[in-house]
């Protein structure tokens, strides 16, 4: 069925959103978190936004001097492998917005 996500993508996105939620509470001290999901023709977009303390991004687009940076780095690397991307926006004391975009199906060659 073309409307379904592949198991690889759905499992990865579930684990990624769980990681982002834990990071928002544990590292970001967020009190409110919004998660939204948008599905297009061949793409799925997940957005996790929080009202936490935010952080400064390095040139690589991951938190500077934070232990939580490995989780974001790992998510970015896996998304890249699937043909997806991650967009991170964060401002100190104003929260964080992270958008994950992935194809709905993985094309194996």
């Amino acid at each position: 069925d073309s409307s379904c996500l592949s198991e690889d993508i759905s499992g990865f996105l579930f684990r990624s959103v769980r990681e982002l939620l834990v990071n928002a509470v544990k590292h970001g001290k967020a009190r409110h978190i919004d998660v939204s999901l948008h599905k297009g023709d061949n793409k799925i977009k997940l957005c996790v936004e929080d009202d936490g303390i935010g952080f400064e991004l390095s040139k690589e687009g991951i938190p500077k001097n934070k232990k939580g940076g490995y989780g974001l780095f790992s998510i970015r690397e896996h998304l890249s492998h699937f043909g997806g991307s991650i967009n991170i926006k964060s401002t100190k004391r104003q929260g964080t917005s992270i958008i994950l975009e992935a194809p709905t199906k993985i094309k194996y060659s």
Side-chain angles (χ1 to χ4, degrees), residues 14-28 30 32-35 47-50 98:
F14 173 81
R15 290 185 302 277
S16 296
V17 169
R18 181 178 58 200
E19 171 81 10
L20 296 176
L21 293 172
V22 168
N23 284 351
V25 173
K26 183 178 178 182
H27 301 293
H32 297 94
I33 303 169
D34 290 320
V35 178
C47 183
V48 178
E49 296 177 289
D50 69 60
I98 300 177

Side-chain angles (χ1 to χ4, degrees), residues 77-93:
E77 292 302 305
H78 279 88
L79 275 171
S80 176
H81 174 73
F82 290 142
S85 64
I86 184 170
N87 184 340
I88 303 169
K89 293 180 184 170
S90 186
T91 305
K92 285 194 169 227
R93 296 178 297 282

Side-chain angles (χ1 to χ4, degrees), residues 43-71:
K43 194 182 276 189
I44 189 159
K45 181 174 163 180
L46 268 161
C47 183
V48 178
E49 296 177 289
D50 69 60
D51 65 350
I53 61 173
F55 53 84
E56 188 177 346
L57 293 170
S58 70
K59 289 179 187 175
E60 294 80 30
I62 57 174
K64 278 188 174 180
N65 304 319
K66 296 272 287 198
K67 292 178 185 174
Y70 178 75

